[in-house]
Structures are given as structure tokens and as C-alpha cells.
Amino acid sequence: MTTTTAAPTTGVPVIGAGVTRVDGPLKVTGAVPYADDLAPRDALVGVLVGATITSGRVELVDTTDALAAPGVVAVLSHHDAPRVVRPDEASSDERAPLPPFQDAVVRFRGDYVAMVVAQTREEALHAADLLHVTYDVDEPVVDINDPRADREDDDPAGADSVRGDLERGLAEAEVEVGADYVTGDNTNNPIGLFAASAEWDGDALHMWATTQWPFNVADCLAEAWGIPREDVRVECPYLGGGFGSGLRPWPYIHAAAMAAKVVDRPVRVVLSRPQMFTGVGHRPETVQRVRLGARRDGTLTAVEHTATIPVAVDDDNPENVVSGTRQGYAVEHLRADVDQVRLHISPPGSMRAPGEAQGNFALETALDELAVELGIDPVELRLRNEAVTNPDQDDLPWSSKALDECLRRGAELIGWDERDPSPRATREGDQLIGYGMAAVSFFYFQEPCTVRVVVRRDGSAAVHCAAMDIGTGTYTIVTQVAAERLGLEVGDVEVVLGDSSLPASPPAGGSGLATAISNAVALATSAVLADLQLSGAPGREALARAVGDRDKVTAEATADKPDPAELGMSPSGAFGAKFAKVRVDADLGLVRVERLVSVIDCGQVLNERTARSQVVGGTVGGIGHALLEHTVTDLHAGPQTGRITNAHLADYLMAVNADVPDLEVEFVGGPDRLNPVGVKGVGEVGLCGVAAAIGNAVFNATGRRIRRLPITPDLLL
Ligand code: MOS
């Protein structure tokens, strides 16, 4: 793949090429304003205190000693914290996470029971140690397999689906494979600890908070406090990593707002690393079962995929584990079903390809097992069952799909032909060598997004949107799309994001923002050009002339969610093929990834540099998902404590440089035909499929089928 090394300095087009990040200089010089950097410097510091039991009630938070400690200004607890309304998440029926301190109930270990507010963080931490919290302890349920747990099959994520008649499909099968798959809890670990600062001006609230969705946080705060939406402003122009953990209005944000109200001064809250494990969501574990029926020639006749996931007490988290299965392959008879088990765990939330990543591991491992059973090449098996139309959406034609090209090109790049399909057949000294692959059909996600474009008197332009850049390059691609459509140079476009007082935006999440915002930019630039009676990409001089003495001309436009029925096609997400080559130490069970090839169809690539970086980053996460990452909860050591035993960066293993080879990324396919920009999301498809490709390679290397993530050395001994 080719990338240019510098931003083009003149002319169009600027889409597709590797324009360097417009915020690059700010980032490398440390000048980026993270939300916390913008907060009032005279803010008091709040330190949150978590429950040391897993289920029960707080009897008393005795604050006597804490309040007498140096620097302490206040202690909040359920005894006296302001009462707020629990908001709904914007644009969904889900309940937002419970605001803290509203009752005495402890729903999980680490649930906030108090917050100490002091002049400095050291003073707040010291006083937090002096709080005496007494509890009325209940027996928790923290194990997904605990028969006492409440099991719910009410399909909150709209995950369940029945197509055709599964039993008939299985009866038509000449070969059947079926197995259980287990994936462990994972925790998002952005480097930037999440922080929230609040300042009240009368009944108007201004916050600077780590979030992937400032607009929604502002909505939720307005609802919580019963104040007009226009009196709430939430800023988050940058954050130090999110991966999904910043999608929900988490309790620490409410805590900052409550404390600032109580002490009538700005208050700043920064989570500790252990609090990041319980306070901002995590990827929930799954227990899955996949059954596949096929004819001898590889044609699938039946697919059944069921999953059980945990949810927290009094919380919602739609984790759609089966969406990739529903649309992945052309199979007439299908049953997909997700059940929830309610546990005394911290609320799960999104983590990079939520649901999809776990579900893809089960499905694509099962397909590998079927390929072995049938003696058919795994790539060929996927090609033979290609869904030419979307079987999950009335068999509408896809708006774009190049999965077959992904598969063929990926096989070529990794040298699939050299692979010996017999397990444990290739050895170099102590190393067993194996190849594996997986396909990905990622879901489509687009929510309404509004953008304002301003053309100034000098012909330069500004783009305003409440959306934030999670680090993926949103500032850059918005700049590019606006520049191209207005005929401007990249340097003539200013992009302002990450502020809830700007036009409404969806989250930086679900791999959906690039599509939503670039289409909104396309519409808004068309609107402003219409107002200026210009067409094409007129360029700076023509724009300046057309603005004339109006000083500036502004237009706003909203890109709506596409309606498949109206369009007569199924909006496509990204597709991808992942190919892994691994080396497994025959004596130690250590798995090293030697090569990992990703071939991705994400429609029009807006920026090869940032798109590639998305896939590389996702793949690193995928290697962690496959081999390393596991949030371990104490389930069985004596009484179940529900305590996370590795809630810090020393024991929570993530892929680091030594775990990651040079990653190969290629893009195939062309512009999607759904929208003027032709773009599809490219975020999460990078992670999805990596675990199955590695697991399948481990099978090819060792002959051992590991149906569990992470694939740790002990499982291979
Ligand atoms: Mo992503 S899990 O939608 O930030």
C-alpha cells in the first residue's frame, strides 16, 4: 500500500491520500487540550470511594474523621448527596448508568459509596482512608454459571433471530459440528485516566469530561438535573484513548457535577487505574454455543449461535454477540439467540467491536472446525457460502461488498498455498508453525449527524460539530472532506469538534462516525455552495468573491440514518479477512504471532494513513484479545468476593511491541454506493476476526482446538 509522506499543499483531491493528521503537531508537542486540561485550575479535587463488599447495603458512612482531616471540604454519600433523575441514553431505550449516591444499595464491588472533596488529591486520598463505612452484607452472585443467577431471555439488543427452520436445516446436513466457546472479561485500558470537572453558574452546568459522546453526556446531565439543555455544556475535544469506554455517561461524571453543586466551586475528579476497571465499562465474558450443518460440498444448511452474557444489576448493556453470524453467510436456516445473566459485577459496556469480537471468535472457529471435518479449505468454505445479498435484511443487495476479494487477496499475501492443512505438520526445531484465517462481516451503524459549515470572507472555511475525535483521525478526515468539496487546501479548513454546544452528533463509536459526519459535511458544503450560488469545488478565491461583503456564510445540514427499504439496498458495514501465521513453542505452549494480514473493504478510504492506523491498532487489540487480555474476578477462592484480582497495568496483560509483528494491511473494494462520500466505518473491523484467525492458526500448528479466550500457554500444555 502507498502513502504520501506529506499533506498536499495545493489543490484537490485530498481524499484517499495519506494526508498527515491535522492535529499531529499539537499531539507531538504535547499541546493537545484534553478535557482535563481545559478544566478550571482552581477546582477542588474529588476522590471516589468504592464499596469493599460485592452486594448489600451501606449502613453508615461515618465522615467524622475524614471531615476533620486537613484540606477536606466535603464528603458526599447517599446520606446527603443531591438527588438526580436517572437519565436514558440518547436515541435509545436503554437506561444510562445509575448516577451514584442515590440509595444505600451496593450492586458490585467498587460501586461508589462516597466521594471526598479536598483542596488537593493527596488530602482527598488521605481523608478517604479515614472514612468508616459499615455495610449490611448480602451473598453476591458473580459467576455466570451460578444457577442462582437471574437469567433473562428478553432480547434487549434485538439480537435474537430465526430464519427458516433450524431443525430442517440440520436434517438436510450431511455433516454437523457443534461446540461451546468461552471468552473472558476484558477491560479497556486507555492510557488517559478518565476525568471529569464541573462548574456551576447558578443553574447552568459546564463540564469537561472524558467521553466519546459529549452531546449525549450533556443530554443526560440536563435530564438528571431537570435543567434546560441549553444550560449544559460538555467539552471533550480530545481524549487519551477510549475504545468504547467513553460511550456512556458514567457515574464519575455525575459525581463531579454533584460535588461542584454541593461545595459551590469547580470540582475535578480523576479515576485511578483500578477504578478504570469498574467505573467505565468492560467487555463482558461470553458463553456461546455454535452448531453448523453442511452438505459434503461445504454448503451450509443450518447455523445456530446462542450466547449468554452477564449484565450488571439495574443496568442495560446491549451486547449483540450474534449480529455477525446473522449476516455473515448465505444460510437458509438459522437461529441466533442471546440471553443475559444478571450478576453483581460492575456495569459492562462497549469495548472495541462489542459483541462482534466475541461472536466472531465462536463462529469463525466453528467454521474452521467444519472445514477440517469436510476436508475443504477454510477460505474456500467461506467463499462457497458467501452472502451475495444480506440474508439478515430481506435479502436486499449490499450497498457494497468485497469480502471475496478480501479473502482471495489475504490468502495471496500470507502465502496460504504454502500451508499444510494437516495439523501439527510443520515444525522448525521446537517451534510448531501454523496458519489460520477468519472472515468478518461487520455491522452497519449510522446515526443522524448535523454539521455546520462556515465560509468566511477570505474564502477559508470552518466546520463545527459536537462529535469528538477519539483519536482515530476525525479532525483530519472532516478537514479533508470539507477541503475537497469546497476546493480548499487542507490548511484553509478549521475543524471544531468535541463540544456539546455545537450541532448534534452521534458518538465516536460503533465504527459509525466517519460515515455520519463525512456525509453531513458533504450535505452542509452543498448547502453553503448553493447559498453562494457556486458549484463544483470552487476554491478559495471564488468562495471569497461569493461571500463578498456578507462577512461569512453559514449552512447546517443533517445526514440521516439510511432507510434500507426506501433505498432498496442493505447498508453495508466493513468486511475483512484476517490471516495469521503463528509459532507455538511445542514444550512451553507459548504462542507468537509471526505475521498478521488484514485485508479490509471499508468503501472509500478517506485517508490511507489514518485508516491503516485504525486497522493496525485494532489488530494489536485483537492479538491481546486472542492471547493475553483477561480481567480475572475472584470467583472460587473460598467465599466469592467478586473482586477483580488484576485491576492494574502490571497484571492485566496487553499486547506490547514484543507481541506484535509488522502488521500487513491492505484495502480493497471501492466507494460504497449508499452515500456521496462512499465511506464505510473502518474502526472495529480491525480487531474483529483476529482472535479466530490466531486460534485457527494455533490449531493448524498444534492440532489442539482451543475454544476459549485468551489462549494462554496452560491451555496448550
Ligand atoms: Mo467503539 S466500542 O464503538 O468505541
Side-chain angles (χ1 to χ4, degrees), residues 25-59:
L26 278 183
K27 285 201 162 163
V28 298
T29 57
V32 154
Y34 293 100
D36 196 46
D37 298 325
L38 298 172
R41 290 297 99 188
D42 62 340
L44 296 171
V45 177
V47 163
L48 284 156
V49 179
T52 55
I53 66 164
T54 306
S55 170
R57 298 178 70 80
V58 178
E59 273 176 346

Tab-separated table of all heavy atoms in Angstrom, residues 25-59:
chain	number	residue	atom	x	y	z
A	25	PRO	N	0.861	17.997	14.812
A	25	PRO	CA	1.804	18.874	15.527
A	25	PRO	C	1.389	19.136	16.986
A	25	PRO	O	2.221	19.110	17.883
A	25	PRO	CB	1.771	20.171	14.701
A	25	PRO	CG	1.402	19.703	13.321
A	25	PRO	CD	0.447	18.559	13.519
A	26	LEU	N	0.081	19.353	17.197
A	26	LEU	CA	-0.393	19.557	18.576
A	26	LEU	C	-0.085	18.341	19.443
A	26	LEU	O	0.323	18.459	20.590
A	26	LEU	CB	-1.916	19.767	18.594
A	26	LEU	CG	-2.489	21.135	18.295
A	26	LEU	CD1	-4.006	21.096	18.458
A	26	LEU	CD2	-1.887	22.176	19.240
A	27	LYS	N	-0.293	17.154	18.858
A	27	LYS	CA	-0.108	15.940	19.644
A	27	LYS	C	1.359	15.701	19.971
A	27	LYS	O	1.706	15.393	21.103
A	27	LYS	CB	-0.711	14.730	18.918
A	27	LYS	CG	-2.230	14.748	19.001
A	27	LYS	CD	-2.844	13.387	18.780
A	27	LYS	CE	-4.273	13.396	19.316
A	27	LYS	NZ	-5.081	12.299	18.811
A	28	VAL	N	2.219	15.846	18.968
A	28	VAL	CA	3.617	15.516	19.235
A	28	VAL	C	4.316	16.588	20.068
A	28	VAL	O	5.361	16.315	20.648
A	28	VAL	CB	4.422	15.218	17.948
A	28	VAL	CG1	3.860	14.008	17.232
A	28	VAL	CG2	4.471	16.423	17.020
A	29	THR	N	3.720	17.772	20.148
A	29	THR	CA	4.335	18.786	21.006
A	29	THR	C	3.662	18.854	22.376
A	29	THR	O	4.000	19.702	23.196
A	29	THR	CB	4.262	20.190	20.359
A	29	THR	OG1	2.884	20.487	20.082
A	29	THR	CG2	5.065	20.245	19.074
A	30	GLY	N	2.714	17.948	22.604
A	30	GLY	CA	2.066	17.919	23.923
A	30	GLY	C	1.109	19.072	24.139
A	30	GLY	O	0.742	19.371	25.271
A	31	ALA	N	0.689	19.708	23.066
A	31	ALA	CA	-0.157	20.894	23.217
A	31	ALA	C	-1.653	20.581	23.074
A	31	ALA	O	-2.484	21.477	23.150
A	31	ALA	CB	0.246	21.939	22.190
A	32	VAL	N	-1.979	19.313	22.870
A	32	VAL	CA	-3.388	18.954	22.694
A	32	VAL	C	-4.175	19.251	23.965
A	32	VAL	O	-3.762	18.863	25.048
A	32	VAL	CB	-3.497	17.448	22.345
A	32	VAL	CG1	-4.840	16.889	22.755
A	32	VAL	CG2	-3.284	17.246	20.858
A	33	PRO	N	-5.295	19.958	23.840
A	33	PRO	CA	-6.097	20.214	25.028
A	33	PRO	C	-7.033	19.045	25.344
A	33	PRO	O	-8.106	18.925	24.783
A	33	PRO	CB	-6.885	21.474	24.645
A	33	PRO	CG	-7.008	21.408	23.158
A	33	PRO	CD	-5.816	20.640	22.645
A	34	TYR	N	-6.597	18.158	26.206
A	34	TYR	CA	-7.506	17.119	26.696
A	34	TYR	C	-8.527	17.792	27.600
A	34	TYR	O	-8.293	18.895	28.109
A	34	TYR	CB	-6.724	16.044	27.456
A	34	TYR	CG	-5.821	15.253	26.555
A	34	TYR	CD1	-4.465	15.529	26.477
A	34	TYR	CD2	-6.341	14.272	25.721
A	34	TYR	CE1	-3.640	14.834	25.603
A	34	TYR	CE2	-5.523	13.573	24.841
A	34	TYR	CZ	-4.170	13.851	24.791
A	34	TYR	OH	-3.378	13.179	23.922
A	35	ALA	N	-9.662	17.113	27.770
A	35	ALA	CA	-10.753	17.724	28.532
A	35	ALA	C	-10.243	18.241	29.877
A	35	ALA	O	-10.554	19.357	30.299
A	35	ALA	CB	-11.878	16.709	28.727
A	36	ASP	N	-9.424	17.433	30.517
A	36	ASP	CA	-8.957	17.793	31.845
A	36	ASP	C	-8.056	19.033	31.826
A	36	ASP	O	-7.972	19.761	32.811
A	36	ASP	CB	-8.208	16.586	32.436
A	36	ASP	CG	-8.019	16.724	33.933
A	36	ASP	OD1	-8.999	17.082	34.619
A	36	ASP	OD2	-6.898	16.503	34.407
A	37	ASP	N	-7.386	19.261	30.699
A	37	ASP	CA	-6.520	20.439	30.604
A	37	ASP	C	-7.334	21.731	30.539
A	37	ASP	O	-6.825	22.813	30.834
A	37	ASP	CB	-5.647	20.373	29.336
A	37	ASP	CG	-4.716	19.178	29.347
A	37	ASP	OD1	-4.232	18.818	30.437
A	37	ASP	OD2	-4.473	18.610	28.265
A	38	LEU	N	-8.570	21.607	30.083
A	38	LEU	CA	-9.398	22.799	29.894
A	38	LEU	C	-10.145	23.193	31.166
A	38	LEU	O	-10.678	24.293	31.272
A	38	LEU	CB	-10.422	22.560	28.775
A	38	LEU	CG	-9.828	22.285	27.390
A	38	LEU	CD1	-10.923	21.877	26.416
A	38	LEU	CD2	-9.104	23.531	26.885
A	39	ALA	N	-10.183	22.273	32.113
A	39	ALA	CA	-10.986	22.497	33.320
A	39	ALA	C	-10.386	23.613	34.173
A	39	ALA	O	-9.197	23.892	34.077
A	39	ALA	CB	-11.044	21.202	34.121
A	40	PRO	N	-11.227	24.255	34.988
A	40	PRO	CA	-10.729	25.339	35.846
A	40	PRO	C	-9.571	24.863	36.724
A	40	PRO	O	-9.647	23.797	37.336
A	40	PRO	CB	-11.944	25.693	36.709
A	40	PRO	CG	-13.126	25.198	35.949
A	40	PRO	CD	-12.655	24.016	35.170
A	41	ARG	N	-8.528	25.639	36.761
A	41	ARG	CA	-7.324	25.259	37.515
A	41	ARG	C	-7.531	25.372	39.022
A	41	ARG	O	-6.779	24.778	39.799
A	41	ARG	CB	-6.133	26.139	37.089
A	41	ARG	CG	-5.620	25.871	35.689
A	41	ARG	CD	-5.060	24.463	35.528
A	41	ARG	NE	-6.048	23.579	34.917
A	41	ARG	CZ	-5.915	22.261	34.778
A	41	ARG	NH1	-4.852	21.657	35.231
A	41	ARG	NH2	-6.854	21.533	34.227
A	42	ASP	N	-8.519	26.138	39.439
A	42	ASP	CA	-8.729	26.289	40.885
A	42	ASP	C	-9.736	25.267	41.418
A	42	ASP	O	-10.253	25.410	42.512
A	42	ASP	CB	-9.219	27.706	41.199
A	42	ASP	CG	-10.569	27.994	40.538
A	42	ASP	OD1	-10.938	27.279	39.564
A	42	ASP	OD2	-11.262	28.923	40.990
A	43	ALA	N	-9.998	24.229	40.633
A	43	ALA	CA	-11.003	23.250	41.061
A	43	ALA	C	-10.535	22.488	42.294
A	43	ALA	O	-9.346	22.198	42.450
A	43	ALA	CB	-11.272	22.267	39.926
A	44	LEU	N	-11.479	22.170	43.146
A	44	LEU	CA	-11.211	21.235	44.239
A	44	LEU	C	-11.127	19.832	43.640
A	44	LEU	O	-11.583	19.595	42.521
A	44	LEU	CB	-12.338	21.292	45.276
A	44	LEU	CG	-12.503	22.637	45.996
A	44	LEU	CD1	-13.784	22.629	46.833
A	44	LEU	CD2	-11.283	22.932	46.870
A	45	VAL	N	-10.569	18.909	44.410
A	45	VAL	CA	-10.365	17.561	43.884
A	45	VAL	C	-11.269	16.561	44.596
A	45	VAL	O	-11.315	16.529	45.836
A	45	VAL	CB	-8.889	17.133	44.052
A	45	VAL	CG1	-8.692	15.702	43.562
A	45	VAL	CG2	-7.983	18.084	43.291
A	46	GLY	N	-11.977	15.792	43.806
A	46	GLY	CA	-12.838	14.750	44.373
A	46	GLY	C	-12.205	13.386	44.206
A	46	GLY	O	-11.685	13.075	43.131
A	47	VAL	N	-12.211	12.599	45.260
A	47	VAL	CA	-11.718	11.224	45.174
A	47	VAL	C	-12.863	10.281	45.516
A	47	VAL	O	-13.481	10.389	46.588
A	47	VAL	CB	-10.508	11.000	46.109
A	47	VAL	CG1	-10.261	9.517	46.338
A	47	VAL	CG2	-9.262	11.654	45.509
A	48	LEU	N	-13.147	9.391	44.595
A	48	LEU	CA	-14.259	8.461	44.785
A	48	LEU	C	-13.827	7.270	45.626
A	48	LEU	O	-12.690	6.794	45.524
A	48	LEU	CB	-14.764	7.980	43.427
A	48	LEU	CG	-15.607	9.029	42.679
A	48	LEU	CD1	-15.598	8.787	41.178
A	48	LEU	CD2	-17.037	9.054	43.228
A	49	VAL	N	-14.769	6.802	46.446
A	49	VAL	CA	-14.503	5.680	47.341
A	49	VAL	C	-15.455	4.544	46.970
A	49	VAL	O	-16.672	4.751	46.911
A	49	VAL	CB	-14.719	6.097	48.807
A	49	VAL	CG1	-14.464	4.925	49.746
A	49	VAL	CG2	-13.819	7.284	49.151
A	50	GLY	N	-14.888	3.377	46.678
A	50	GLY	CA	-15.698	2.252	46.239
A	50	GLY	C	-16.042	1.307	47.380
A	50	GLY	O	-15.307	1.196	48.372
A	51	ALA	N	-17.158	0.598	47.201
A	51	ALA	CA	-17.589	-0.382	48.199
A	51	ALA	C	-16.570	-1.503	48.315
A	51	ALA	O	-16.001	-1.943	47.311
A	51	ALA	CB	-18.945	-0.959	47.805
A	52	THR	N	-16.376	-1.985	49.532
A	52	THR	CA	-15.476	-3.121	49.749
A	52	THR	C	-16.266	-4.409	49.951
A	52	THR	O	-15.719	-5.418	50.373
A	52	THR	CB	-14.567	-2.864	50.964
A	52	THR	OG1	-15.419	-2.562	52.081
A	52	THR	CG2	-13.625	-1.706	50.699
A	53	ILE	N	-17.552	-4.339	49.672
A	53	ILE	CA	-18.365	-5.559	49.598
A	53	ILE	C	-18.909	-5.646	48.176
A	53	ILE	O	-18.806	-4.690	47.402
A	53	ILE	CB	-19.522	-5.557	50.618
A	53	ILE	CG1	-20.539	-4.462	50.271
A	53	ILE	CG2	-18.988	-5.398	52.038
A	53	ILE	CD1	-21.872	-4.610	50.963
A	54	THR	N	-19.514	-6.786	47.852
A	54	THR	CA	-19.934	-7.004	46.470
A	54	THR	C	-21.438	-6.871	46.302
A	54	THR	O	-21.941	-6.548	45.235
A	54	THR	CB	-19.444	-8.386	46.001
A	54	THR	OG1	-18.045	-8.436	46.239
A	54	THR	CG2	-19.708	-8.631	44.539
A	55	SER	N	-22.159	-7.109	47.397
A	55	SER	CA	-23.610	-6.988	47.345
A	55	SER	C	-24.099	-6.689	48.756
A	55	SER	O	-23.596	-7.252	49.721
A	55	SER	CB	-24.211	-8.303	46.838
A	55	SER	OG	-25.609	-8.285	46.993
A	56	GLY	N	-25.074	-5.808	48.845
A	56	GLY	CA	-25.624	-5.486	50.160
A	56	GLY	C	-26.058	-4.043	50.229
A	56	GLY	O	-26.472	-3.472	49.219
A	57	ARG	N	-25.937	-3.473	51.434
A	57	ARG	CA	-26.342	-2.081	51.630
A	57	ARG	C	-25.321	-1.368	52.503
A	57	ARG	O	-24.700	-1.973	53.378
A	57	ARG	CB	-27.708	-2.005	52.338
A	57	ARG	CG	-28.846	-2.638	51.552
A	57	ARG	CD	-30.147	-2.565	52.348
A	57	ARG	NE	-30.666	-1.210	52.467
A	57	ARG	CZ	-31.349	-0.592	51.509
A	57	ARG	NH1	-31.602	-1.216	50.357
A	57	ARG	NH2	-31.789	0.637	51.680
A	58	VAL	N	-25.192	-0.087	52.243
A	58	VAL	CA	-24.367	0.747	53.126
A	58	VAL	C	-25.218	1.093	54.337
A	58	VAL	O	-26.315	1.626	54.197
A	58	VAL	CB	-23.944	2.045	52.413
A	58	VAL	CG1	-23.127	2.922	53.352
A	58	VAL	CG2	-23.170	1.730	51.155
A	59	GLU	N	-24.706	0.755	55.513
A	59	GLU	CA	-25.431	1.161	56.727
A	59	GLU	C	-25.102	2.605	57.071
A	59	GLU	O	-25.980	3.420	57.302
A	59	GLU	CB	-25.037	0.251	57.895
A	59	GLU	CG	-25.884	-1.000	57.980
A	59	GLU	CD	-25.406	-1.933	59.084
A	59	GLU	OE1	-24.273	-1.748	59.596
A	59	GLU	OE2	-26.169	-2.846	59.423
